[in-house]
Each structure stands twice: as C-alpha cells, then as structure tokens.
Amino acid sequence: MTETSSASSADGQLWAVVPAGGAGTRLWPLSRAGSPKFLHDLTGSGRTLLQATLDRLEPLVGERVLVVTGVAHQDAVRRQLHALPGDRVVAEPSPRDSMAAIGLAAAMVERTDPDALIGSFAADHVIADPEAFRACVEEAAEVARTGLLVTIGIEPARPSTGFGYIHLGERLPGFPTACAVEEFVEKPDSARARAYVDSGEYRWNAGMFVARAGVLLDLLAVEHPDLASGLRAIAADPSRLEEIWPGLTKIAIDHAVAEPAAAAGKVAVVPGGFGWEDIGDFAALADLLPDAAPGLKVLGDADVVLASGSTGLVVPGSGRTVAVLGLDDVVVVDTGDALLVTTTAHAQDVKSIVEALKSSGRSALT
Amino acid sequence: MTETSSASSADGQLWAVVPAGGAGTRLWPLSRAGSPKFLHDLTGSGRTLLQATLDRLEPLVGERVLVVTGVAHQDAVRRQLHALPGDRVVAEPSPRDSMAAIGLAAAMVERTDPDALIGSFAADHVIADPEAFRACVEEAAEVARTGLLVTIGIEPARPSTGFGYIHLGERLPGFPTACAVEEFVEKPDSARARAYVDSGEYRWNAGMFVARAGVLLDLLAVEHPDLASGLRAIAADPSRLEEIWPGLTKIAIDHAVAEPAAAAGKVAVVPGGFGWEDIGDFAALADLLPDAAPGLKVLGDADVVLASGSTGLVVPGSGRTVAVLGLDDVVVVDTGDALLVTTTAHAQDVKSIVEALKSSGRSALT
C-alpha cells in the first residue's frame, strides 16, 4: 500500500478506516448475510450506505481510505468502489470483532506514515448533514494530533436504549467544542436513557474514533499486547495474515481501548449534531424516509405500491405490485425470494425470523 | 350435442348446467379477470372449484353436464375438465348475465330431450357435505318433475347481508322437505338479516334452480318472450350464436324467472343444510380452511410460511418464503406479479384495489 497523493506531512495526514461488517439481521430480508445492509441503498439516494460513507469522507481523506470487510464481501465492496485502488480493500479471513479490523488498518497506516491519523467510520451509518460531520472530524483530528484518542459523541435524538453513551467531562482548552470523556457507559435501560438525555451531559457512542495510528496501537498494547503485536506483524508482512489472524483476540474497540483509556484520562470527545442514524431496524428506516403518501414510506419504486388507508413502510424490491389495504404502521418488504410482513412495533423482533430460518435449515434465505 | 349414456326416459333425466363466470375481484390477486376463482383450488383439496363442482355432480348426472363460460376461459375450462366431451363446454361470446347463460343451456338440453330436467349450479361454490347436497338435488328433481321451478334454500350459517333470501311457504305434500316459496327477497340490511335468520323461515338464495328445461324457458317466455325465443333459436341453429347473442337481454335468472314465478305460485324450495360457502372474500376463505397453526390459515405450501405471533390467512402462491410477525387477522396473498397485504376486516374492500389498478392503467394485473 502506498500513499500516492501529496506526501505525508510531519503533522500526519488523516486516513479513514471503514469497517464494513455486520449482517443487519433486523433488516431481513433486505439485508442478508451474503448481502449485508452496507451494500444496499437504504435511503433512496441512489448510493449504497458504503458508497455514501466514502462520498462523505472523500473531501477529508481523498483516497486515503481502508475498507475492512469479510472475505465473502470483498468482491461486492470492490465492485461498488471501483474507483478505489484495489489495495484499499482489506479482507478479513474471519470475523474477529472491531478491534482487530480497525487495528489491522491502523497498523497498515502506521507503516505507511508513522505520524498518520486514522478515523474509524462504519460503512452502514447515515448522516443527514455531511458538512457538519466533516467539521466534527476535522476538530477531532486536531485534538488527536495532541496524542489523545478522540471519539465523536452524537447528539441523542431520543432516549434510545440501543446505544452506549459517552459521559462528557471538562471542556478541552484550545478547541472549539472538544471535551474530556468522563466515561463510556453501556446501553442503558429506558429510565436511565431518559435521565442521560435530560441531563444534557451524555452523547451516543457511534463507534467513531480518531487517533494517531501509533497512539491507538500503543494504547492497545497496554491491555492486549499480543493483539497489538499480532496486528503489527501482519502489517509488516501481509503474507502472515492467514497464519496470525485466527489466533487474534476477539474484542470490540470500546472494551479493548476506549474504556481503559478513558479511565486513564486519555480520551476526548467532540460533540456532533449532524443527523446521525444507524438504521438498526425497519422502524428506524421508516423514520428516515420521506412520505410517499401521508404516513406511508416507500423505499424503491413508489409507482408499484398501491396503498389505501395504510401507514408504515413498503419496500417493493422484486418489481411486483404491492397492494396494502387498511393496515397502520405496517412493514412490507418484498424481495425476489422472501417476503416479510410485520409492524414497526415489531421491528426489533425481525432477527427472530432469521434465527427461525437458520434453525429450520433454511440458512440459504438468511 | 348428443346424449350417449342411457337413452332419455319419459321421466326426463337431469342435466347439470354449470355457469362458470364472475371475476371474483374480492379475491384479487389470486383471482383475476383472466383466471377467475372457479379455476383455482381455494380449499387445498387438490381440485379447483370448477373440478370439485363437477366431481360433486357426477353421481347425479354423469356426463350430462353443460359448462357455460366466457370465450376467454373456454380453453382453461376444457383443460381442467379434459375427460368431458368438448361439446359440453359452451362459450358465451360476451357476458349477458345468468339468464342468458342458463337459458341457452336449457334450450340446448330441451332439443336433446324435451322431458329433461336441468339444474343450475355455479362453478365457484364450496360444499362441505356432497352427499347431503345430492339428496337435496334429487328431491328438487322429483319436485321439478311436477312442473314447478324448484330452488334449493341454503340453511343460513350467519345473518349475512351478502345474499338474497328465500321466504319459505307451506310444506308441499308428498315430498320429504320441499315447501312453496313465499317470496324471494333482496340482500337485507343487518337488522333484517338477523330477523330473517331468527325466524327460521328464511333460507339463503344460492342461485340453484332445478326445472324441466321446457318449463324454465316457458316461464321465461311469459316475461321476456324475445329472450326465450332467441335462446331457442340459437339451440336450433348454433351457427346463429354470434348473430343473436349480442342482442339478448342482460338479466339475472332471479329477476327474469324466479321472482315472477314465485309471485304466481309456481316455485318450490328444498331446504338444504350441507355446509355451503361461496368464498366471496378472503375472510370467507380463511373461515373455510383448517388451522396450519393456532388461528393461522395457509392456502398452499405451509412449509414456506414462517409466522410468529400472527393470526389470519397466508396464501404463498409464488414459491417464495413468507414471514409474518406480530399481526392479527392479517391477509397476505403472494403471487408471481402482485402481492396483497390487508386484514380480514377489510376483505370486502379488496375490490377497490382492482378498481384502482384499472383506473391507473394497470388492468394487466387485474
């Protein structure tokens, strides 16, 4: 891997690391193990979530991007990002959680430019205001140049129990908005989520981290020295990937690095308000889309949807005409080989369908 | 047309006339103009409604059957009834309502055997107890030999507002159950329907009429002489069908013959309790099917249906897997080019979808 654009500066340039994983089982049958949600256009923009993620990052990093994905998806990722040099797509031989994925990319960047910064941005997030997002990332990069691990703390849109939270600490002098991180807290119950949001002192943790590549790996080396050295060994000699990878510790970046570093006062947060959504389920997807008719959202060709006295979400994905009559908050997802009918209130339970399909020997549909 | 089985007796043999028409728009997208409900297996028996109708009549009439259908459906009807001689399927050049359809068949039978009886039995009814049905028809035929027009009055299963009713009169001496018909009454409102059923004096009018062919046509000739003579002229010279048919009066057999004849005291009724259903909509279809899971009916391959916390009806008609999650009384009808999602409470409104498709230029789907 070589950095072909402007030579790396002593300040260290920013690289984007884009983990592209996760099955998105709550979005079945749209999202499948073989075709996960980042490969789909879920916003009707004409770009898949992965493509939109790279579009959003391009003004910040140009081609300094590493997409880390599973071997099963590397061809699809390369097809969608055909303008990107081939060595910018890194294939994990097997899933080893977010620390290994982001850490491997960090180690590769570290070898290219020891002063470089990396920022991790998942391939399946939706951001309403890309300019505000980029301003946040730029501030995070400035803070990260001081040697801190920096996260971006999303302004909570609601008291969600589906995300971890970041407790804001003291303001950091010399930066427009950055604060210290008091602590990372796990997904709360609903009373606690309400209290967090009401206090104004908490932000959602969307897994966005910015740091010097070396800082991230050195922090990792404190708690998990074998994992850090394994990742650096692969970056030094990529032919050892298959040998080393299966033995790496499976751990999320939050537990491996962010929480211990926060406890040690080494993490900052830049609060961000740019309309972030991770489209965790069809209720979230419905919230995101504009009305095709009052209360009715359509992802796809609205001309083949015939709805009467109905609200909710219709995804006409097979070309067939979909008629919906007299149902409120319904979710109808029509694909070539499978059809889902449920309600937004049951959106979180959709993963149970995927489990039932697997346990009944129909994994081909998952 | 020739009668090849036992020669016609002086008593007159019974012929079955099976009108096979009606689009069944409330059963869209299962039933289409091009593939109406009588061509479908709606009971999961392995036989279409048309085939089951002829199976049920076979012990009574053997091959003495005339199926009257539209030109558009004659090939499909012949394929489904491939064992029936070809001249037993009569194609109407255009729809001219039930009197013309049944009357033409009556005129054809009259020429073959002037003493013959005809009984009209629609191609899209479901009957739970065929033996009880046949016993009724046999009694109706005995009564019809006396020169009366005889109808079969269905024991009401509920105070339906979807059918006309028959008001029972005095018992007819010499027959096990037959009565005079006091009058035919139109589809009632719900209070009146309740009163009819509570009185025990009313039966559903399912359009089943048994009479000597000549009696039926002579009764018709009283009120509509041109229609009766037109039908007899076609039977005498089938080459005149295209010439005469378009000018025939469009009228239902009830209005043309049954109501005036009842007023004249010339109609009898044999009450029947044999589990009759006309499957007017998906709610009726759901009532008819056995449970695939508690409260859930499946018409088709239940193995491709994955339902959780749901009741209602699923028709998996495209081979695709259908997953339904957390919906009560839902109706999901999946076909190769169209999908319907509604509830049993909206079953009667399904025809509005068909109207909307037509008015938006998508008649191909209707």
Side-chain angles (χ1 to χ4, degrees), chain A residues 195-276:
Chain A
Y196 287 170
V197 172
D198 288 348
S199 76
E201 296 175 8
Y202 288 79
R203 293 292 180 275
W204 284 346
N205 176 7
M208 298 180 187
F209 294 100
V210 181
R212 288 200 191 272
V215 166
L216 183 74
L217 292 163
D218 290 347
L219 285 170
L220 177 62
V222 176
E223 302 278 334
H224 300 276
D226 291 352
L227 180 49
S229 65
L231 294 168
R232 279 171 161 152
I234 295 169
D237 180 1
S239 73
R240 296 187 63 198
L241 175 66
E242 299 283 348
E243 164 210 338
I244 295 171
W245 189 264
L248 297 179
T249 305
K250 258 182 146 164
I251 187 168
I253 188 170
D254 304 76
H255 302 316
V257 165
E259 290 161 12
K266 295 178 179 170
V267 187
V269 54
V270 175
F274 38 71
W276 174 90

Side-chain angles (χ1 to χ4, degrees), chain B residues 1 90-91 93 104 108 111 230-246:
Chain B
M1 191 184 71
V90 180
L104 176 60
M108 293 168 74
R111 288 197 69 82
L231 294 168
R232 279 173 160 149
I234 295 169
D237 179 1
S239 73
R240 298 188 61 199
L241 175 67
E242 301 283 348
E243 164 210 340
I244 297 172
W245 189 263

